[in-house]
Every structure is written in C-alpha cells, then in structure tokens.
Amino acid sequence: MGLTLERPAQAPGPTLSRPSSSGSGRGNRARWVWGWAYSGILSVLLTLAVLLGYLVTGIASGTVDWTALFTSSTWSPGTLAFGGLAMIYGSAAVCVLALVLAVPIGWAAAVALSEYLPPRLARPLRLSIELLAAVPSIVYGLIGIMVIRPFVADLGDVPGGDSLLAAGIVLAVMIMPTIVAVSVDALAAVPGRYREAAYSLGLTRREVVRSAVLPQARSGMRAGVLLGLARALGEAIAVFMVIGRADGRLPESLGDIFSSLVRPGQTLTTKLAGPEPMLAGTSGPYFAALCGLGVILLALVAVATVWGTRGSTGRTARAPRARRSSAWLRTPKDRITTVVRLGALLLPGALLVGMLGILLARGGSALNPVFWFSPSEGAAGGGIRDQIIGTLLLLATTALIALPLGYGAGVVIGTRASARTARVLETLTVAIGGTPTILLGLAGYVLFCTTMGWGRSWLAGAVVLVPVVVPVVALTTAGRIRSMPAEITEAAFALGLTSSQYVRSVVIPYTWPATLTGLLLGLARAAGETAPLIFTATVFFGAPVLPTGVVNAPVQALPTHIFTLSQDSGAPEAIAQAWGSALVLVLITAGLLSLAVLLRNRFEGARRWTT
C-alpha cells in the first residue's frame, strides 16, 4: 500500500486558524481538542528524540574509534577491538542481492497489474501481493530455515545453508510487495491522456508503456525501491535466522566476492539483535561501539526512507515521445514483453500460495482448536493459549495508546499545518515508521527495563510497538482529510463552527473509517514484530497468562515463541510447534489486514473486495 507525501493540487486540505476562545467553556474545549491533537505530533518528535538520545548517550559513555568502526573487520570485545566493516559489507551484500532479485520482478509485476490486466483481475491479485507484505518477518525467517537454507546448501555446497545468499533471498521476497504496491500507485497516477496520445500515434502497448507511462512514473517507482531498501536495511530477525552470524568475514579479493556470498556472515541488524547488547551493559566502550553501529544503521535507513518519500516535487513532467522499434520486430517484441511481464506477476502469487501450502502442511496442528485453547507444556508441548493471549494483550494496549496519538498527528498535519510544514511532519512520521525496530527495542530496554526499573514488562513492550502503529494511523488520517471536498469545510465555517467544533463535528465523522483502517494495518505489522519484544516484554516460559502488575511482569507472545523454537532446529517437536504457531500468527495478521480492506471498501463506497 504505497504512501506518497505530495499534496494533490485539487485537494490541498483545509488550513485552519487558531481556535476561537470566546466563552470559557468553549475555550476550554478548544484547548483540550488541540492539546490532544498536538500530543500526537509531540509523540512522533519524542520518539525521535528518545532514539537519538539513546544512541548519543551510549556513544558518549565510552570511546568510539570511528576509523576502526568503518575500516576494520576485527570485532573482539575481549581486546576492545570493535571493527564494523564486515557487518557493513554484510548489510550491503544482502541488500544488493535482495534488490537484484526483487526489483526486476517487482517492476514487471507492477506494470502488468497497472497496464495489462483489467481491474476485475488486477484488484484480487494486488490483494494477494499485499497479503505477502502482511506476513510477519519471523515467518519469513522460519521459511528461510526450512526451505532456503537447504536450497543454498545444495547450490553452493554450504553445510547448513547459512549464508549471505540465503539472507538476500529472504529479503527479496520480503521487499517485493513494497516495490509492487508503491510502483502500482505511481503508474496509476499517470494521466490517461498520455496513454491515449501514445496509442493515437500507432504505438504498441510495449511502446506506450516505455514512451508514455514509465517516464512519468519513474520517480515513484524508484521511491518504491528505496522504501524496500529501507526495510531490507532494518530487518533483523528474518536475516538473523539464516545468515549464520559469523564475525570478521570479508572477501579477500574481488574474485572472492561471489564465493563470500555462500558463506555465513553478519549484518548491522543481526549484530544488534544478538546477545551482545545484553552483555555490553549500558556504558563503556563495548556499549558505545554497539551504539555506533546503531547510528550507522539509523543513518542508512533514514537516508533511504527520506529519499524514497520525497516524491518528484519540483520536476516538470516531460511530454511523452514516440519510440518505435524496427517495423518487423514490433509485434514479436510486444508479445514477448507481455509474456515476460505477466509471468513476473505470477511469481508473487505463486510465493503466497507456496507459503500458505508450507504453513498448512507443516503447521497442521494449528487447525486443531485444542492447539489454540490449551497452555504450552514443557519446551515444545501443548498448545499456545498463553502466547495468543499475550499477543492480543500487547496489540490491544498498543492500539489504545497509538490510536489517539496517531489520529491527533493526522489531524494536525491535515488541518493546521501549511503545505511546507505538513511535508516536513510527514517526512518525520515516515522516518519514524521506517526506523529499524531492533533500535526501538534496545532503546526501550535501556529506558524502561533498566533506567525505570520495570524489568521485562508487557507495558514496555506495548509502548515500544506504538511507534510502529502511529505513523500508519497519522498518514492515513491526513490523507483522508486532504481528500475531503472543499464544500464540506466551507459549509461548516459558514455555519459559524470554530476550528475545534469543526474537528469534532466534521473531521472525525468523515475520517474515522480511514483511521480505523490505518490502525488495523499498523497492528497487522506490529503483531509480527519480534526484535522489540525480545528485549522488553516477553519470556519463553514461566509468565502467567495475564500479568498482575507492570514491573517485572512479562508475557508470552507468538513472535518470540516462534523465534525461540526455531533456534532448536534439531528437535521435531519444537519445529512442529513453531510451524503451528507461525500459521496462527499469519491468520491473525491476515485477519487484521482483511478487516482493514473490508472496512475501507464498505465505508468508501466500494462494491467489491478490492484494495
């Protein structure tokens, strides 16, 4: 589901003056309404401040040799040698592999959806691709262990299959839906008159797409690639499960680069997701070096996210130019291109079907109601009742906190901010949404679990998940406000409504379906987050079904349960339990996504199950 930050010229959205304070009661209500709304923006800025404060404070607690961090591959805490070059190389290698595999297929599939298929076929196919985006990363990691690692082991004669190549393939599958969704939005935004003009010149469909459509949509399609890159850079758990986590692995020569891809390695995120952040404490050179890696990771993700969402503002669209092929080659080229693009579209659908088939075949225990409603027994026996309840508790608490904050931020962006300010606020909001969750988990661990003395706490886990949900709610709400017909706003103020009354009486009734959709989409993503919960909220066993307090009150949750079981890949009982838990988690996230689509279509007048 692509997000753009450009204000449409035809619907810039209302910009309201400060609320009137005539009458003490009316003034108090106005101050309350706008105080609540601005608290949403404050939460976004506070999250950014806490994250940067955590990293800066950590770096200041010890001495960081930045030269060694960027140029040395030796990582040895015992000798205080902290070189991050091998991890930077690993992050670059897996991301390049993912882009090489995902971009051609994603772009071709997007063109096929937008330009080749009728809407009645394109809509359900796009929904299936978006379902791939809703699959939790822990499930991708589990499939990587069971499917991709054996494939790489046979392909490169690698014992176990742990390698940079396995991580790159997993990331390619994960980022492909993002590339497709954003690219389809960019292609759909190209005015139809460009296509009509190109067809009137006698061009074939391939020539129309190349000459008239792609030049106009290129910047948006590149944005999809950059947003996919941001997700690949920030992904921790799925990569952690298949990369092997070997320190100091660098190719010895240019010719060794390809052979290094089929060997275990390490990335910035897998280093931060491992046990070392817990061993390093909260000060000293070891902790400072880890925070330095966090700064590098955050900077890379922020650059990719901001660059990918900056749009094509200020660029003048060029008129399409006719590009003809040789006359005798035009028809064969057009047919070949059609087959290739439609074939690329089949791959995401095949991946979804294959993934569901694997989950159903290996996680059949999830189809038994007893598995859902009975508690776990021992290391890998029984059911997952406690894990489901813990997951739902975390999601419900996250929703209660994120909904008012995200909605308030969306109202401010959509009604109070000027065009320039709104763009800045939206960029910051998207940057928070793209922050690697492993950094949120580490910051939450230091702030809540250590500094505030909460220990492992369900509330700490919910608070850490809030920055995952708030940006989605804020951006969908702001987009809905900007689409509001101008006559509604004009009629409201013609009746003498103050700005706060306008929000209560007009904006909230008009936008709540989109807000609820954004909330469900955000919760679908939060349901599969693993890295933040490992550090702040969950344990594998021993936690009560429902916590009795806040301090030292952990819960059990499905993502971390699957992650722990997947580490014991030699035990058949653990693997069966992991696959069953994965199927349950996929059903929960798919249910949230499907409910979001249903609500959006119902309240926006759609007659079909579309996206």
Side-chain angles (χ1 to χ4, degrees):
M1 300 179 182
L3 296 174
T4 60
L5 299 184
E6 294 187 52
R7 282 178 173 265
Q10 70 273 19
T15 301
L16 304 180
S17 59
R18 291 190 175 274
S20 170
S21 58
S22 59
S24 59
R26 177 179 295 183
N28 290 333
R29 287 194 298 271
R31 283 190 291 270
W32 184 89
V33 168
W34 291 111
W36 151 71
Y38 279 104
S39 67
I41 293 294
L42 181 62
S43 70
V44 173
L45 300 178
L46 183 61
T47 300
L48 184 62
V50 168
L51 190 60
L52 293 176
Y54 159 73
L55 294 173
V56 171
T57 303
I59 291 173
S61 70
T63 302
V64 179
D65 187 346
W66 291 100
T67 302
L69 203 62
F70 280 99
T71 60
S72 173
S73 62
T74 302
W75 184 274
S76 177
T79 60
L80 298 182
F82 302 107
L85 182 60
M87 288 164 263
I88 296 173
Y89 168 75
S91 294
V94 298
C95 287
V96 169
L97 280 171
L99 293 178
V100 167
L101 295 173
V103 170
I105 297 173
W107 277 357
V111 172
L113 280 173
S114 176
E115 307 298 324
Y116 285 82
L117 294 181
R120 66 179 182 276
L121 294 178
R123 287 166 180 159
L125 284 175
R126 184 178 177 185
L127 175 60
S128 69
I129 293 173
E130 290 177 345
L131 285 173
L132 274 176
V135 174
S137 58
I138 184 66
V139 177
Y140 280 113
L142 189 61
I143 291 177
I145 289 176
M146 300 304 168
V147 179
I148 296 177
R149 285 202 317 185
F151 168 75
V152 174
D154 295 336
L155 180 68
D157 193 21
V158 183
D162 288 321
S163 61
L164 297 174
L165 178 59
I169 294 173
V170 170
L171 285 180
V173 178
M174 292 182 67
I175 69 175
M176 190 187 303
T178 300
I179 295 173
V180 173
V182 177
S183 298
V184 167
D185 288 341
L187 291 165
V190 176
R193 63 179 182 274
Y194 287 168
R195 297 176 179 84
E196 295 168 2
Y199 279 119
S200 69
L201 295 175
L203 301 184
T204 64
R205 180 173 296 182
R206 182 186 69 87
E207 293 166 342
V208 169
V209 171
R210 185 185 66 171
S211 303
V213 179
L214 291 181
Q216 310 301 319
R218 186 176 292 120
S219 62
M221 296 174 73
R222 287 173 180 167
V225 173
L226 290 168
L227 292 174
L229 175 61
R231 181 177 183 186
L233 283 168
E235 178 55 43
I237 296 302
V239 177
F240 185 94
M241 297 168 71
V242 299
I243 200 170
R245 306 186 300 281
D247 285 327
R249 297 291 184 89
L250 278 175
E252 298 176 358
S253 63
L254 290 177
D256 192 39
I257 290 179
F258 289 101
S259 61
S260 71
L261 298 179
V262 293
R263 295 199 299 264
Q266 187 85 275
T267 67
L268 294 168
T269 53
T270 58
K271 173 60 72 174
L272 295 172
E276 294 190 48
M278 307 293 288
L279 301 174
T282 56
S283 63
Y286 192 4
F287 180 65
L290 289 172
C291 288
L293 295 179
V295 168
I296 296 172
L297 176 62
L298 183 61
L300 292 174
V301 174
V303 169
T305 301
V306 173
W307 190 269
T309 55
R310 71 187 185 96
S312 56
T313 304
R315 298 182 183 180
T316 303
R318 294 179 296 176
R321 293 180 296 174
R323 297 180 183 179
R324 290 177 178 269
S325 305
S326 300
W328 66 279
L329 287 176
R330 293 179 66 205
T331 300
K333 282 186 175 181
D334 187 64
R335 291 175 179 173
I336 293 172
T337 303
T338 300
V339 171
V340 169
R341 287 170 174 165
L342 292 177
L345 182 59
L346 294 177
L347 182 58
L351 287 173
L352 179 63
V353 172
M355 189 175 299
L356 291 177
I358 293 173
L359 287 170
L360 289 171
R362 294 179 176 265
S365 57
L367 303 179
N368 186 348
V370 175
F371 184 71
W372 290 63
F373 297 107
S374 61
S376 57
E377 298 175 1
I384 54 172
R385 181 198 66 187
D386 297 353
Q387 288 79 9
I388 293 176
I389 293 175
T391 301
L392 295 178
L393 173 64
L394 290 169
L395 291 180
T397 308
T398 301
L400 290 175
I401 300 172
L403 179 58
L405 295 177
Y407 192 79
V411 168
V412 171
I413 293 172
T415 64
R416 300 281 286 188
S418 63
R420 178 175 298 179
T421 303
R423 187 174 298 279
V424 171
L425 293 176
E426 284 182 322
T427 302
L428 289 175
T429 304
V430 173
I432 291 297
T435 299
T437 54
I438 182 64
L439 294 180
L440 295 175
L442 291 172
Y445 168 73
V446 172
L447 177 62
F448 297 113
C449 303
T450 303
T451 304
M452 297 178 63
W454 286 8
R456 296 290 178 91
S457 170
W458 62 275
L459 183 58
V463 173
V464 169
L465 290 178
V466 166
V468 176
V469 180
V470 165
V472 185
V473 176
L475 293 170
T476 53
T477 300
R480 179 67 170 170
I481 291 173
R482 284 200 296 267
S483 69
M484 185 183 301
E487 55 267 23
I488 294 180
T489 301
E490 294 169 359
F493 286 106
L495 293 173
L497 270 65
T498 65
S499 58
S500 61
Q501 291 172 332
Y502 167 75
V503 170
R504 294 197 308 269
S505 303
V506 179
V507 173
I508 291 177
Y510 187 83
T511 59
W512 76 264
T515 301
L516 185 57
T517 299
L519 177 65
L520 292 171
L521 293 174
L523 291 176
R525 180 189 170 191
E529 289 296 339
T530 306
L533 301 181
I534 289 176
F535 291 102
T536 59
T538 61
V539 292
F540 181 61
F541 64 88
V545 179
L546 290 174
T548 57
V550 172
V551 177
N552 294 321
V555 293
Q556 301 176 67
L558 285 171
T560 54
H561 186 67
I562 299 168
F563 177 72
T564 305
L565 290 171
S566 66
Q567 304 306 299
D568 192 8
S569 57
E573 299 83 2
I575 295 304
Q577 183 89 340
W579 280 108
S581 303
L583 180 56
V584 172
L585 184 58
V586 168
L587 292 175
I588 291 174
T589 55
L592 290 170
L593 178 62
S594 301
L595 183 58
V597 173
L598 176 63
L599 288 172
R600 182 172 63 187
N601 292 336
R602 177 180 177 83
F603 291 105
E604 292 186 2
R607 296 182 180 179
R608 299 184 182 90
W609 187 266
T610 61
T611 60

